[in-house]
């Protein structure tokens, strides 16, 4: 077994690799940029090495920095994880030249599979089905036009050096080809330094199926069954599962056999994935091979019971594969979803920031970049976690994962949790009728949903003095008819006002329930159940799960994973009355500001104190010009209605 491994990555995957290293008593070295100097993936490392500033080009993509870190800390191997340099032939070659072991395939395999034209030729020669397409890659319009005519429209243009769908162009008519070729060449050159293209037949609504393979240095190659990755947005996977939903047995067998043929033809070593597209008639074609561990590898681990990272370490150390093909079995069904810091209501724009409070769900596997709190940097991919369920069948696994998504609480960040819950509940997903366009179609069909009223109802519930919370609450006395420490369900119970953007929402309390409240917001009635623990509130509003916290200036509420931030209106009115020289507050509340002292000369209208009541700041103003004779309140005092706060002496008494 290897002695010490440099984990050339960060976040969730670095923690995943480290976990297996600890279990196998393999020491590991963690690396970090300046942006990650306090990141969770550094915990437990034999040594931590700074790579450079925050941008990946200055840190995690610096080959020489990673090699130097591995050599200086006495590592004998490097694990690239996924992303960054995991599929870089140059990095693989540099690791080998330094006398280190790369935990993955060699540079030649990575280079061959990273070039779509080469990969296509190799797979066709191995008897793996490939799409009708170009025999050679190029940039010339005439050659690509001839290929397209031979293939038949529609065609898809693919940059040979690309990945993740970047630069691909679908062409439905010959008149559109020239413009599409120019765009694809331009994107290929700018993104990958290579403008060569392949033209292939376009499959309109395919499924995306991939096969996990593994090879060792002793010539053994096995598969660990297939994964369904059809739920994608902009060619990026969102939800993955194993096995593929409703796949005919003969099609599954042919897919697995094709992946094995391809891997054996390459002499494949370590972990890899052969990806295919499946047409509506169950005909499948080779798409590409990923020469690394995949983001979605946990679903394979869940159904097979195999630790793929352990296999990677053992194979890299020269050991044989732990199991032969006939010893690898699959049990049950597993589904994974990716949690991103992104805003579904803003075209899924990345939403970096700090997660102030996180509670991951019980009952599922959680692979996360951090446990209770953490930073999501704008320098890197915004994925923060993967939630993985396993059940005896697909329906059970799907129910478990949907419940887990709804139960996850992430405060301080906007995430895609709400969208994931909707996706997992989508009837086509539940029925297993999947294709690679389903998610994009669902996004296009989404309308704007006003979630503010539900959030305001939850914010109101956080302010009700249930027994565990003590007597102080803005609800007390808000209608002038309540005693401190108790609420009368028959009384007019008052209201809390919160602001969503520029709109004020009034949450009126209608009554108490054993576990929460009934209230009305903008004419809509809501029943809200609520519990609290260490400042985090949870419960249900109607049929939806919610979680929330108080913030410095309002509330943060997640309803079914959708985040709403509510602020508190600030009122600058003379909410005071004068009886003689005594200045009193008309509202009960807490003193949050005292702005005068005995002997101060104040003008009419000057702020003397600020009382927070019903989550609103009420400024106590001087009713006339004078001198402060007494101050009868202090910061954080709880005051009652009609209580004297300040005594003024008018000019004639100076």
């Amino acid at each position: 077994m290897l002695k010490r491994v440099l984990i050339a990555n960060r976040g969730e995957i670095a923690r995943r690799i480290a976990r297996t290293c600890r279990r196998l008593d393999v020491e590991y070295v963690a690396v970090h940029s300046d942006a990650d100097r306090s990141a969770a993936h550094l915990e437990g490392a034999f040594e931590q090495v700074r790579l450079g500033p925050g941008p990946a080009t200055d840190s995690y993509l610096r080959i020489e920095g990673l090699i130097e870190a591995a050599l200086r800390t006495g590592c004998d191997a490097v694990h690239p994880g996924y992303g960054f340099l995991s599929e870089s032939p140059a990095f693989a070659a540099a690791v080998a030249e330094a006398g280190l072991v790369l935990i993955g395939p060699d540079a030649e395999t990575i280079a061959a599979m990273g070039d779509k034209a080469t990969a296509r030729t190799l797979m066709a020669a191995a008897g793996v089905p490939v799409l009708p397409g170009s025999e050679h890659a190029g940039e010339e319009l005439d050659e690509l036009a001839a290929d397209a005519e031979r293939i038949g429209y529609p065609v898809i243009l693919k940059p040979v050096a690309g990945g993740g769908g970047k630069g691909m162009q679908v062409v439905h008519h010959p008149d559109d080809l020239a413009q599409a070729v120019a765009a694809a060449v331009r994107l290929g050159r700018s993104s990958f330094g290579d403008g060569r293209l392949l033209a292939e037949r376009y499959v309109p609504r395919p499924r995306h199926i991939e096969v996990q393979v593994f090879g060792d240095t002793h010539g053994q190659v096995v598969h660990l069954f297939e994964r369904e990755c059809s739920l994608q947005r902009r060619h990026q996977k969102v939800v993955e599962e194993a096995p593929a939903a409703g796949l005919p047995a003969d099609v599954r067998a042919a897919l697995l056999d094709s992946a094995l043929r391809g891997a054996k033809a390459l002499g494949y070593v370590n972990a890899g994935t052969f990806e295919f597209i499946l047409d509506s008639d169950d005909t499948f074609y080779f798409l590409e091979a990923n020469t690394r561990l995949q983001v979605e590898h946990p679903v394979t681990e869940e159904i097979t019971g195999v630790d793929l990272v352990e296999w990677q370490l053992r194979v890299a150390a020269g050991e044989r594969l732990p199991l032969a093909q006939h010893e690898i079995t699959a049990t049950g069904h597993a589904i994974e979803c990716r949690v991103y810091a992104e805003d579904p209501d803003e075209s899924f724009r990345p939403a970096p920031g700090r997660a102030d409070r996180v509670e991951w769900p019980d009952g599922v596997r959680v692979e996360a970049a951090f446990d209770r709190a953490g930073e999501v940097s704008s320098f890197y991919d915004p994925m923060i976690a993967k939630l993985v369920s396993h059940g005896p069948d697909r329906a059970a696994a799907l129910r478990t994962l949907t419940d887990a998504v709804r139960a996850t609480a992430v405060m301080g960040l906007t995430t895609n949790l709400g969208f994931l819950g909707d996706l997992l509940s989508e009837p086509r997903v539940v029925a297993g009728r999947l294709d690679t366009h389903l998610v994009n179609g669902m996004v296009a069909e989404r309308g704007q949903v006003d979630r503010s009223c539900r959030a305001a109802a939850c914010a109101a519930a956080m302010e009700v003095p249930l027994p565990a919370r003590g007597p102080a609450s803005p609800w007390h006395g808000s209608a002038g008819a309540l005693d401190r420490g108790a609420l009368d369900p028959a009384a007019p119970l008052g209201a809390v006002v919160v602001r969503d953007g520029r709109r004020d929402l009034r949450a009126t309390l209608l009554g108490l329930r054993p576990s929460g409240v009934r209230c009305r917001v903008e004419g809509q009635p809501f029943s809200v159940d609520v519990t609290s623990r260490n400042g985090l509130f949870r419960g249900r509003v109607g049929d939806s799960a919610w979680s929330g916290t108080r913030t410095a200036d309002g509330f943060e509420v997640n309803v079914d994973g959708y985040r709403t931030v509510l602020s508190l209106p600030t009122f600058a009115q003379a909410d005071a009355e004068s009886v003689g020289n005594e200045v009193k507050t008309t509202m009960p509340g807490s003193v949050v500001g005292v702005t005068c002292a005995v002997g101060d000369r104040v003008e009419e209208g000057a702020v003397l104190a600020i009382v927070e009541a019903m989550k609103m700041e009420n400024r106590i103003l001087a009713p006339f010009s004078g001198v402060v004779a007494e101050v009868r309140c202090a910061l954080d005092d709880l005051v009652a209605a009609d209580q004297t706060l300040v005594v003024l002496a008018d000019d004639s008494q100076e």
Side-chain angles (χ1 to χ4, degrees), residues 8 28 96 120 196 223 232 243 257 287 317 370 416 426 474 477 484 519 568 611 646:
Y28 61 92
R120 174 186 169 84
R196 292 177 302 140
H223 71 75
Q232 306 175 6
D257 181 66
L287 181 64
F370 42 76
N416 68 332
E426 157 66 38
R484 187 178 301 278
C519 61
L568 298 167
V611 175
V646 176

Side-chain angles (χ1 to χ4, degrees), residues 263-330:
K264 289 175 179 177
L266 293 171
Y268 200 91
V269 174
N270 218 278
T273 303
F274 281 71
E275 306 202 0
F276 301 87
I277 58 172
L278 186 71
D279 209 340
S280 56
D281 62 358
D282 288 335
T283 304
F284 63 86
Y285 306 96
F286 173 78
L287 181 64
E288 64 182 356
N290 288 300
T291 51
R292 54 170 168 79
L293 195 67
Q294 292 276 75
V295 176
E296 57 271 20
H297 77 273
V299 295
T300 295
E301 294 183 325
E302 290 298 308
I303 65 168
T304 62
V306 168
D307 183 333
L308 294 179
V309 175
E310 177 182 346
W311 279 31
Q312 284 192 292
L313 296 174
R314 293 192 179 281
V315 166
E319 298 181 24
R320 293 181 178 274
L321 288 175
L323 297 175
Q325 186 66 73
H326 71 276
E327 297 174 304
I328 303 170
T329 58

Side-chain angles (χ1 to χ4, degrees), residues 463-466 470-487 493-494 509 587-589 613-614 639:
E463 290 306 299
V464 175
L466 297 179
S473 169
W475 293 103
H476 291 109
S478 61
L482 304 180
D483 294 327
R484 187 178 301 278
L487 283 174
L493 300 179
L509 185 64
M587 298 287 288
M614 294 195 299
V639 295

Side-chain angles (χ1 to χ4, degrees), residues 195-264:
R196 292 177 302 140
L197 306 176
L198 284 173
E200 290 182 338
R201 177 186 294 164
Y202 176 64
V203 179
R205 302 190 72 87
R207 292 172 66 180
H208 186 147
I209 312 293
E210 62 186 28
V211 178
Q212 177 71 59
V213 300
F214 231 105
D216 63 23
T217 56
H218 304 277
Q220 184 180 13
V221 180
V222 299
H223 71 75
L224 291 96
F225 304 102
E226 85 284 355
R227 297 184 287 252
E228 172 102 44
C229 303
S230 297
L231 294 178
Q232 306 175 6
R233 186 181 59 79
R234 298 172 186 164
H235 302 288
Q236 295 296 318
K237 300 164 187 171
V238 179
V239 174
E240 305 97 348
E241 58 186 290
L247 196 64
D250 59 334
V251 177
R252 173 176 288 111
L255 273 166
L256 300 178
D257 181 66
S258 292
L260 280 179
R261 283 204 307 273
K264 289 175 179 177

Side-chain angles (χ1 to χ4, degrees), residues 57-146:
T57 52
D58 298 327
S59 52
Y60 297 105
L61 292 174
R62 287 184 59 241
I63 292 176
E64 65 279 8
L66 289 163
I67 298 298
E68 190 277 331
L71 294 174
R72 180 168 59 80
T73 56
C75 293
D76 47 4
V78 177
H79 198 308
Y82 49 69
F84 291 136
L85 294 168
S86 62
E87 293 182 281
S88 166
F91 182 56
V95 170
E97 289 168 7
L100 300 165
V101 175
L102 180 73
I103 302 174
D106 59 27
E108 290 75 17
T109 301
I110 295 174
M113 292 296 99
D115 184 292
K116 285 183 169 59
T118 302
R120 174 186 169 84
T121 300
L122 290 171
M123 292 302 100
V128 178
V130 297
L131 281 163
S134 303
E135 297 299 327
H136 305 284
E139 300 183 13
E140 296 300 322
L141 175 59
D142 290 345
E143 294 179 2
L144 290 164

